[in-house]
Amino acid sequence: MIRSLHSLVLASGLAVFMAAASPAAERPNVVIILADDMGYGDVSANNPLARMQTPAIDELARSGLRFADAHAAAATCIPSRYALLTGRMYFRRTDLMPSGVKIGGVGYLSPLIESGRETIGTLLQRAGYATGCIGKWHLGMNWELKDPAKPPGLLDPNPKSAVRYTNTDFSRITRDGPNTRGFDYTYIIPSSASDPPFVALRDGKVIDPDVVMIPNIYPTRQPDTVIDWDLKYVAEEGDAYWQRGVIFKNGEISRSFRIEDNARTMLGEAVGFIRRQAAASDRRPFLLYMPLPGPHTPWMPDKEFRGRSSLGTYGDWVMQMDHMVGEVRKALAEAGVADNTLLIFSSDNGAHWSEEDVQRTAHQANAGRRGQKADIWDGGHHVPLFISWPRGLRAPATYEHPVSLTDVFATLAELTGQPLAESSAEDSVSFLRVLRGDIATATRETILYAARGLAIVKDGWKYAPGLGSGGFTLPSVVEPEPGGPRGQLYHLTKDPFERVNLALAEPAKAAELAASLERQVTQGFSAPRLDERNATGKKQ
């Protein structure tokens, strides 16, 4: 069933809601805060045994909607963010290997959201919203080159040299970044704060184009450096490694940019955006998309957060991310717009928290679920999701049925009465009815998500072609043995920790789910629901 349950809601409840509301000012503001690599168990509201406290996020759980079974569309950053902003799975792109990835790091990637592709930003722009993106973009842009006759890659021909300037012209405005993908105002870093280029951009222009290399700013080691298992990610001369989780790669950095100040600066930008929009003379509703820099590495909390948790630098960093959520809510309240702001908090994937980390710290960042970031197992994609909307939500509640972060798109489309084009948001299913108080009804039949391969969940069963984690947990890939299973089948209702592979014991169920997965991949997610296209624009 499903994307539409749209039809019934729009024909009744939503039509009444929209008719009763006065024009733009009564439509809710929308704030989407997306943590980076925060596990389901990193939020103390989800995990009573968490080694840190997250009071601001916990308040969202206490006063709003808590989603107990929410899933990112993928177990890693880029495909997850693409799916959130577009409502479609990343594998549906025609070109899955965009140019630029080899020129010095993922921060130099070409645009990953196709030109003309509808995003949450363009959707709400059409609805009259002012839109802003503040934080980690990680979805590429077109950088201008110093010498167009030369390739964009590393200018130093010696691959082992610590001096690795690229052909990037940081003095010129970038093209096809977030400002052309639905956001009026942007303040971003291009990638994670552990990857070059270490620069901040406002509306597509690098704020400080005076670029040097990381060793000019940061030592590669500290006097008290303690080597841990994640040293394996340090492969290049000049990469900085100070301790577990404090790691950033060699590369270009604005002379004035400081990684340790990044989170604080983002927060100031977000608060400023909220204040400007609330004080604007036209009082348009606004969308703020705020992808946080953590708890992804490098774990570099501000001085005021160091030592706050019992989990060292990681726990302190998580608590600083929680503080940012609290400060955004405070800014909304002080601006007088909190009551009619729909605030969504989630994470792009599970925590990058290995079994070594679990054993050493007794902290279950992924709430004891199998696997971690990048894995096909639950720990890779089961994420915290909380929604606050004081004026719109009927009462605090917990929703137990599965949802995907792809569903945010269709939900906002239905909320604002925007039509969905046939070619957009193919994997998005509205859960507006849940926000309206229906927490008993499932809004979707299946969950589809990705690691190295794909997996599907339906009716309490999960199937993934292939063996192994598909991600960071070893072994990532396992070759099938003669007579052994070729895929993984788990009965999640009875086995939520994915311990017993039933692929051989339940071959009919494995075949059924494999066929369903193949159908969704080749025909589109909505293929089984052609008679239920939503009333706002889908064809019957």
Side-chain angles (χ1 to χ4, degrees):
M1 334 172 16
I2 313 176
R3 166 182 266 185
S4 258
L5 295 175
H6 253 95
S7 319
L8 296 176
V9 176
L10 280 170
S12 53
L14 180 62
V16 172
F17 167 74
M18 295 300 291
S22 63
E26 289 301 317
R27 281 174 290 170
N29 306 304
V30 178
V31 175
I32 301 172
I33 303 177
L34 187 71
D36 192 357
D37 290 4
M38 182 177 284
Y40 186 87
D42 282 331
V43 178
S44 48
N46 289 338
N47 181 8
L49 300 179
R51 295 285 306 279
M52 76 289 283
Q53 296 300 306
T54 53
I57 303 172
D58 292 356
E59 176 60 21
L60 295 177
R62 187 194 68 77
S63 61
L65 274 178
R66 171 180 174 266
F67 291 76
D69 197 15
H71 299 265
T76 50
C77 296
I78 288 174
S80 176
R81 290 158 191 265
Y82 175 92
L84 169 67
L85 290 182
T86 66
R88 70 198 300 259
M89 299 292 287
Y90 185 66
F91 71 80
R92 300 201 190 283
R93 284 179 45 92
T94 56
D95 174 17
L96 294 182
M97 290 300 293
S99 62
V101 70
K102 295 182 179 180
I103 76 168
V106 293
Y108 300 87
L109 283 169
S110 298
L112 301 182
I113 298 178
E114 310 93 316
S115 178
R117 170 66 54 195
E118 183 92 289
T119 69
I120 288 173
T122 60
L123 178 82
L124 292 190
Q125 281 178 333
R126 284 198 285 112
Y129 279 62
T131 60
C133 172
I134 295 170
K136 168 186 169 179
W137 177 236
H138 212 53
L139 288 168
M141 64 196 77
N142 280 320
W143 298 89
E144 299 291 348
L145 302 180
K146 297 174 184 175
D147 185 349
K150 293 182 179 180
L154 306 179
L155 294 183
D156 192 315
N158 178 7
K160 295 186 178 298
S161 171
V163 180
R164 300 180 296 159
Y165 288 97
T166 68
N167 194 16
T168 307
D169 188 344
F170 292 102
S171 68
R172 298 171 64 187
I173 295 178
T174 59
R175 295 174 287 112
D176 297 320
N179 288 88
T180 63
R181 298 302 188 265
F183 298 99
D184 304 319
Y185 176 78
T186 66
Y187 175 90
I188 64 164
I189 58 172
S191 182
S192 301
S194 57
D195 294 297
F198 301 91
V199 298
L201 299 93
R202 180 177 286 111
D203 289 335
K205 185 173 178 58
V206 174
I207 294 173
D208 178 7
D210 181 11
V211 169
V212 295
M213 301 300 292
I214 275 287
N216 294 101
I217 307 295
Y218 294 102
T220 58
R221 298 288 187 275
Q222 297 279 49
D224 57 349
T225 292
V226 176
I227 303 302
D228 209 327
W229 67 265
D230 58 342
L231 180 66
K232 65 184 180 181
Y233 295 118
V234 179
E236 301 291 339
E237 183 181 351
D239 286 1
Y241 182 88
W242 296 354
Q243 64 182 57
R244 167 76 177 104
V246 184
I247 175 174
F248 39 97
K249 298 175 183 176
N250 189 16
E252 293 164 310
I253 180 172
S254 292
R255 192 179 296 275
S256 62
F257 186 86
R258 295 295 178 270
I259 297 171
E260 61 270 27
D261 296 337
N262 182 47
R264 191 181 329 112
T265 304
M266 285 182 183
L267 177 58
E269 285 282 336
V271 170
F273 177 83
I274 291 169
R275 289 172 177 169
R276 290 194 302 274
Q277 298 310 314
S281 57
D282 59 6
R283 294 304 297 270
R284 286 190 294 161
F286 63 84
L287 161 69
L288 171 60
Y289 169 53
M290 186 181 181
L292 301 178
H296 192 289
T297 57
W299 305 339
M300 300 180 76
D302 288 349
K303 183 177 181 180
E304 64 180 292
F305 296 96
R306 295 175 202 161
R308 278 201 182 183
S309 76
S310 62
L311 192 58
T313 311
Y314 181 76
D316 299 344
W317 191 220
V318 170
M319 292 188 71
Q320 184 165 348
M321 297 304 103
D322 178 76
H323 170 77
M324 294 176 73
V325 175
E327 289 298 295
V328 168
R329 296 192 74 197
K330 179 181 176 182
L332 292 168
E334 291 177 345
V337 296
D339 191 50
N340 197 31
T341 294
L342 176 70
L343 190 154
I344 301 171
F345 174 85
S346 192
S347 176
D348 62 346
N349 45 249
H352 191 179
W353 198 250
S354 70
E355 187 58 32
E356 295 97 318
D357 293 317
V358 173
Q359 295 299 322
R360 180 186 307 162
T361 67
H363 174 65
Q364 295 280 2
N366 293 309
R369 298 302 178 108
R370 189 177 186 185
Q372 59 175 319
K373 174 183 178 178
D375 292 352
I376 202 71
W377 299 318
D378 198 66
H381 58 84
H382 192 171
V383 292
L385 175 60
F386 305 97
I387 295 182
S388 169
W389 184 16
R391 183 178 296 182
L393 299 180
R394 291 187 178 179
T398 296
Y399 186 65
E400 302 286 352
H401 299 287
V403 297
S404 169
L405 293 191
T406 59
D407 298 341
V408 172
F409 193 110
T411 303
L412 296 180
E414 186 173 2
L415 176 65
T416 57
Q418 298 298 299
L420 292 175
E422 188 68 35
S423 60
S424 71
E426 300 96 316
D427 300 296
S428 190
V429 178
S430 174
F431 55 75
L432 182 63
R433 64 185 303 162
V434 180
L435 304 187
R436 297 294 186 204
D438 182 1
I439 63 169
T441 307
T443 57
R444 52 161 59 238
E445 291 177 337
T446 61
I447 289 282
L448 192 65
Y449 53 86
R452 178 168 292 161
L454 299 174
I456 188 171
V457 175
K458 182 178 181 181
D459 298 329
W461 289 85
K462 174 178 178 178
Y463 176 76
L467 305 173
S469 74
F472 291 157
T473 300
L474 298 178
S476 177
V477 178
V478 175
E479 294 299 324
E481 298 179 356
R486 306 187 68 83
Q488 301 176 67
L489 178 70
Y490 303 104
H491 195 318
L492 297 181
T493 305
K494 299 178 180 179
D495 179 24
F497 300 105
E498 302 172 78
R499 302 301 185 196
V500 182
N501 185 358
L502 299 174
L504 291 182
E506 299 281 354
K509 178 59 70 174
E512 173 195 338
L513 291 180
S516 180
L517 176 59
E518 178 67 16
R519 183 168 59 251
Q520 291 192 26
V521 169
T522 59
Q523 300 178 27
F525 185 80
S526 58
R529 301 177 282 115
L530 293 177
D531 59 338
E532 294 183 336
R533 301 301 182 129
N534 73 66
T536 61
K538 286 291 182 180
K539 299 178 181 178
Q540 294 290 336

